[in-house]
Amino acid sequence: MGASSQRRLNMLIVNFALLFIVLLWTIPTLGIFVSSFRTRGDIQASGWWTVLPHKAWETTATLSPTDLGLDPNGVMNVEGVTGTFEELRQGVQSGDTRVIWIGNKRLGRIEVQKQKWAVNWEFTLENYQQVLSGKAIQFTNADGTVETIPGDNMVGAFLNSLAVAIPATIIPILIAAFAAYAFAWMRFPGRRILFIMVVALLVVPLQIALVPILRDYNTLQLNGTFLGMWLAHTGFGLALATYLLYNYISTLPRETLESAFIDGASHFTIFMRLILPLSVPALASFAIFQFLWVWNDYLIALIFLGGNPETKVITMRLADIVGSRGNDWHLLTAGAFITMILPLIVFFSLQRYFVRGLMAGSVKG
Amino acid sequence: MAQINTSSNSSDSVGTKFLALISRVFIAVVIPLIAFAVIYAGFIFLRDSNAPKWLIALVAIVWGVGGVGLLFWVFNGIVERLPDKWTQRLQPFVFAGPAIAILIWYLALPTARTFWLSLLDRNGTEFIGIQNYVAIFTERLMREAFRNNLMWIIFGSTFSVAAGLLIAVLADRSKWERVSKSLIFLPMAISFVGAGVIWNFMYESRPIDVPQIGLLNAIVVAFGGSPKAWFAWTDIIPWNNLFLIVIVIWLQTGYSMVLFSAALKGIPNELLEAARVDGATEIRIFFGIMIPYIRGTLITVWTTVVIFTLKIFDVVWVMTGGQFGTEVIATQFYRQSFVARNSGFGSAIAIILLIAVIPVMIYNLRQFREQEAF
């Protein structure tokens, strides 16, 4: 009896601690997710957590100081509250009532407010429309002035990111799978030393390559092109891909391959018909990694795409908005969420493979 | 017609042999030519086209992926049509060649080239010996970068490893294991730029007389404090770096959690039960059994996170651009190489980064040599 209640208490502590940590980890993302649907005015005026029920002051009566015969230069008594003009401007509270003077001494009004439960539930999709489209948008401020804000064309950047990320995921996998097969099932001079090179290059920081490769790209005019990006991401992901796929392909059962050879199949046929289908789990886990890595990459894009606005990828576009309009939270939150949406889908639908990849994984340079 | 002839290789008459030879040559020459023409046409289209964006993206994807597949297929086809001896000799290089060539071009050669550049002046024209390295260890911003990077490595790795371990242990005992692990893991799918926006919003600071919209300052103000600029809080340099480090801890904890979680599941249950029967406390079990059991994983995770924080760039660059005393080695590398255009200095920084990871490289190579299978 004592032991079982002790166990229940332990369980409770464990679950409570876990809940606390999970909330801690989720709240930052939740904040921008909620904010991305709030109006520009709302985001600037109140915290995103005000979408939750909270106590807020609500005006129950509006009074005119002249009708009440108050002297703004002395101490006033309104609705059971006393205070000078300066104090009333800040709002004077008594019990659950607050009296506040709005406006100047001569023309102002007095509001009587009570605390009531409230939720700020004014949601909109406008932020997304604005950040996605390339068109300029007219925005009317609260004070009636009209601002013209250029659109951010995130659709274009999204398509660029797709055009970079999909080939930059598949190309290294294809090249690495061929190489892994050769290292695992073929004999050729230099095989061992070349594979040692692959292992050694696993942790080389990619910073080492950026200056020389940028020079090559200037010569070859690959700067700002998708091809240049695919090759760069292939180059920086290939060592890990080859290593991981070799580990997997070399453990495939030898008998399967030998019987295929006896049937007269060529290496190419065996690779395409047998090895690739058998390696799907390993290919998938590396693919998810590489895709997330390329999609989320900022440094390589900054260096090799930097000069070409036509091919800007989505992380660069978002960083641009951070740099130029760091206070336009309605755009930043929507923009950030657009960059996250695809990785999150990939992540949640293929989490199993992702975890498996992590386990087999090593350190990427 | 050509296909039929090549596929039947057991024909006796001279006529069919001749026909087979002709068709072989035909295939070996014409198909590669067509393939190269297709690839070239795609290249021209992507370079010059004014087509709508989605079409360009689509063509790029098909061209990029298909092109690589096509090249493998064509070169393999050519090699397979050679005499058997040559096929055997050359085919491995068709398979492994592209990978090796790319690795040499993108990583192996640049290591040597960067080292050479690091001995030259800012334009890469004049040899100046080790002057760049001397500058690295004497310049003020570089000293700041080394200090900050050290903080990144110490705090970043310690906290993300400790948090990951704690969560793994807690989740292991909870029936909410799957959900809670997924949610903590989720930030791993978010880019650094995205995470920068998320945390900028958390840290947002307003004057005290208007409502705070950043959660952290709202809490501070609710408890009667005054809003802080957090990572731009210059009074507490270098400790303001911690507010940037938090972001990476938030991103990386999921990784260590997953690895620890798997390692903990590998501990035999009998071992834990036996210890509990003997009356060991949970804390003793944790330090006496769990930690020794997952030592290998602990080392791997720690190394990974250290290497990762060593090269930290995006977060700092997007959040502060290196201002407010938050410069790190990789931002210095970027600034020197691509903003200040001082390739010699930038290259020397890259070499320092390389030297820092050499112990891990040696460890990897040793591990590999121990696997006798190769």
Side-chain angles (χ1 to χ4, degrees):
Chain A
M1 181 63 195
S4 100
S5 71
Q6 175 69 34
R7 183 166 262 179
R8 270 227 294 279
L9 182 70
N10 279 346
M11 240 3 234
L12 203 68
I13 295 171
V14 163
N15 281 332
F16 196 76
L18 202 59
L19 180 71
F20 178 75
I21 296 173
V22 167
L23 280 179
L24 214 61
W25 246 255
T26 323
I27 281 172
T29 321
L30 195 67
I32 69 142
F33 179 64
V34 170
S35 295
S36 69
F37 293 105
R38 300 182 75 209
T39 62
R40 171 172 151 149
D42 268 7
I43 296 181
Q44 297 295 344
S46 59
W48 59 269
W49 50 90
T50 56
V51 300
L52 299 172
H54 61 285
K55 287 265 186 149
W57 292 107
E58 197 173 295
T59 305
T60 52
T62 309
L63 309 167
S64 155
T66 41
D67 291 355
L68 293 172
L70 296 171
D71 171 20
N73 294 319
V75 176
M76 295 170 279
N77 193 329
V78 199
E79 297 276 313
V81 168
T82 44
T84 60
F85 171 74
E86 276 73 27
E87 284 168 342
L88 284 172
R89 273 290 289 272
Q90 299 290 321
V92 178
Q93 206 175 331
S94 125
D96 64 340
T97 314
R98 182 170 77 164
V99 177
I100 190 161
W101 185 300
I102 309 230
N104 60 20
K105 270 189 186 178
R106 216 155 48 78
L107 297 167
R109 60 180 196 276
I110 287 176
E111 288 188 354
V112 180
Q113 300 176 327
K114 288 210 187 303
Q115 278 223 310
K116 296 216 168 125
W117 284 101
V119 284
N120 286 353
W121 273 11
E122 203 188 310
F123 295 123
T124 175
L125 287 174
E126 224 168 63
N127 304 337
Y128 283 94
Q129 282 166 6
Q130 186 176 341
V131 100
L132 283 170
S133 84
K135 280 186 237 122
I137 280 193
Q138 301 280 331
F139 184 83
T140 315
N141 283 316
D143 55 0
T145 54
V146 177
E147 273 180 71
T148 306
I149 301 163
D152 293 288
N153 193 14
M154 271 211 154
V155 171
F158 196 93
L159 289 171
N160 283 340
S161 269
L162 279 180
V164 168
I166 294 176
T169 304
I170 299 175
I171 293 171
I173 290 183
L174 199 59
I175 293 178
F178 270 106
Y181 177 87
F183 281 121
W185 301 106
M186 290 166 150
R187 294 287 167 269
F188 56 95
R191 168 175 165 274
R192 194 181 154 81
I193 190 77
L194 287 171
F195 198 76
I196 285 176
M197 179 185 83
V198 171
V199 175
L201 291 177
L202 276 176
V203 289
V204 169
L206 61 86
Q207 273 86 356
I208 207 96
L210 297 179
V211 176
I213 297 297
L214 187 66
R215 294 191 166 195
D216 293 350
Y217 276 19
N218 281 333
T219 321
L220 298 170
Q221 296 195 327
L222 279 174
N223 259 338
T225 64
F226 291 139
L227 180 61
M229 285 296 280
W230 300 336
L231 284 171
H233 279 298
T234 303
F236 300 137
L238 202 56
L240 183 61
T242 309
Y243 182 73
L244 289 184
L245 293 179
Y246 168 80
N247 280 347
Y248 190 88
I249 289 174
S250 64
T251 55
L252 292 175
R254 182 162 278 278
E255 303 82 54
T256 325
L257 269 93
E258 270 161 6
S259 62
F261 273 123
I262 291 164
D263 291 347
S266 69
H267 276 298
F268 195 77
T269 322
I270 291 176
F271 177 78
M272 296 303 280
R273 298 270 163 81
L274 208 62
I275 301 292
L276 278 189
L278 280 176
S279 311
V280 164
L283 298 175
S285 43
F286 180 78
I288 294 165
F289 254 105
Q290 178 76 2
F291 180 80
L292 290 180
W293 203 80
V294 174
W295 185 273
N296 290 337
D297 158 75
Y298 177 59
L299 178 60
I300 297 176
L302 197 60
I303 289 167
F304 296 132
L305 286 181
N308 189 351
E310 281 297 301
T311 48
K312 265 193 180 167
V313 292
I314 204 154
T315 45
M316 296 171 82
R317 181 69 71 198
L318 184 61
D320 283 353
I321 308 178
V322 174
S324 61
R325 278 170 291 157
N327 278 321
D328 284 348
W329 285 111
H330 61 299
L331 300 181
L332 280 171
T333 52
F337 210 75
I338 291 165
T339 65
M340 283 157 55
I341 189 80
L342 197 60
L344 287 182
I345 292 172
V346 169
F347 171 77
F348 274 117
S349 53
L350 299 167
Q351 202 177 356
R352 200 161 42 97
Y353 290 113
F354 187 62
V355 170
R356 199 192 312 221
L358 271 183
M359 314 285 244
S362 162
V363 188
K364 180 168 167 162
Chain B
M1 189 183 91
Q3 276 95 344
I4 298 166
N5 275 317
T6 45
S7 60
S8 63
N9 45 12
S10 60
S11 44
D12 287 317
S13 82
V14 183
T16 30
K17 258 191 181 166
F18 182 69
L19 244 163
L21 185 70
I22 292 283
S23 61
R24 268 184 187 212
V25 171
F26 178 79
I27 285 170
V29 174
V30 171
I31 287 188
L33 283 180
I34 293 172
F36 291 132
V38 167
I39 290 173
Y40 185 72
F43 178 76
I44 295 298
F45 174 82
L46 285 175
R47 198 184 58 185
D48 302 335
S49 166
N50 290 316
K53 196 102 215 169
W54 63 268
L55 186 65
I56 292 186
L58 192 71
V59 171
I61 292 166
V62 172
W63 180 72
V65 174
V68 173
L70 204 61
L71 285 177
F72 269 113
W73 184 69
V74 165
F75 280 111
N76 181 71
I78 294 173
V79 168
E80 276 187 359
R81 270 167 189 78
L82 295 170
D84 269 0
K85 209 171 80 184
W86 281 97
T87 304
Q88 269 184 14
R89 227 177 256 173
L90 289 178
Q91 205 171 26
F93 293 102
V94 171
F95 276 46
I100 289 160
I102 288 177
L103 278 175
I104 290 177
W105 179 23
Y106 277 88
L107 287 174
L109 270 185
T111 307
R113 292 170 68 189
T114 299
F115 179 67
W116 174 240
L117 278 174
S118 77
L119 302 174
L120 303 179
D121 69 349
R122 57 182 306 126
N123 304 315
T125 46
E126 210 172 309
F127 185 86
I128 56 167
I130 60 161
Q131 273 183 40
N132 285 320
Y133 292 91
V134 173
I136 281 181
F137 291 103
T138 49
E139 209 170 73
R140 188 185 62 82
L141 273 178
M142 276 313 294
R143 282 219 296 270
E144 177 187 310
F146 281 123
R147 177 199 68 199
N148 290 343
N149 245 119
L150 199 65
M151 284 183 75
W152 274 92
I153 289 171
I154 293 170
F155 292 105
S157 66
T158 310
F159 281 104
S160 55
V161 167
L165 189 54
L166 175 73
I167 297 165
V169 172
L170 287 175
D172 201 34
R173 288 143 196 249
S174 173
K175 59 180 171 196
W176 307 107
E177 181 177 358
R178 275 181 63 93
V179 180
S180 50
K181 270 162 64 178
S182 292
L183 285 172
I184 286 166
F185 200 39
L186 181 144
M188 284 213 72
I190 298 175
S191 69
F192 284 107
V193 183
V197 171
I198 290 175
W199 282 88
N200 248 327
F201 194 49
M202 287 286 282
Y203 289 147
E204 173 78 349
S205 159
R206 294 295 191 80
I208 188 147
D209 50 345
V210 297
Q212 296 296 325
I213 61 168
L215 183 59
L216 232 54
N217 275 321
I219 293 172
V220 167
V221 169
F223 282 101
S226 59
K228 304 282 184 294
W230 307 113
F231 58 81
W233 192 359
T234 43
D235 292 348
I236 57 162
I237 286 175
W239 300 105
N240 59 340
N241 278 291
L242 289 179
F243 295 108
L244 297 179
I245 297 175
V246 162
I247 303 172
V248 167
I249 296 173
W250 179 73
L251 281 171
Q252 283 290 299
T253 295
Y255 164 75
S256 57
M257 176 199 70
V258 165
L259 265 79
F260 288 136
S261 194
L264 288 174
K265 296 215 185 313
I267 302 177
N269 234 337
E270 305 83 65
L271 202 64
L272 298 173
E273 285 307 315
R276 285 193 184 114
V277 168
D278 287 348
T281 60
E282 290 297 317
I283 293 181
R284 274 210 62 188
I285 291 176
F286 179 75
F287 285 105
I289 297 174
M290 287 181 173
I291 295 281
Y293 206 92
I294 61 167
R295 234 187 90 224
T297 314
L298 206 59
I299 293 171
T300 313
V301 171
W302 208 296
T303 326
T304 312
V305 182
V306 165
I307 292 187
F308 184 81
T309 43
L310 180 72
K311 297 180 301 183
I312 197 75
F313 168 77
D314 315 37
V315 171
V316 180
W317 194 252
V318 174
M319 297 284 284
T320 68
Q323 284 176 288
F324 318 117
T326 58
E327 201 80 50
V328 287
I329 298 176
T331 55
Q332 267 293 310
F333 163 79
Y334 182 82
R335 194 187 305 286
Q336 294 293 347
S337 305
F338 303 107
V339 182
R341 302 260 164 213
N342 187 345
S343 69
F345 198 95
S347 300
I349 299 175
I351 294 292
I352 297 288
L353 281 178
L354 178 69
I355 291 170
V357 299
I358 279 182
V360 183
M361 191 191 287
I362 290 171
Y363 175 82
N364 278 349
L365 286 172
R366 249 196 221 144
Q367 289 287 98
F368 171 70
R369 200 166 298 167
E370 275 166 27
Q371 294 171 2
E372 282 302 319
F374 198 81

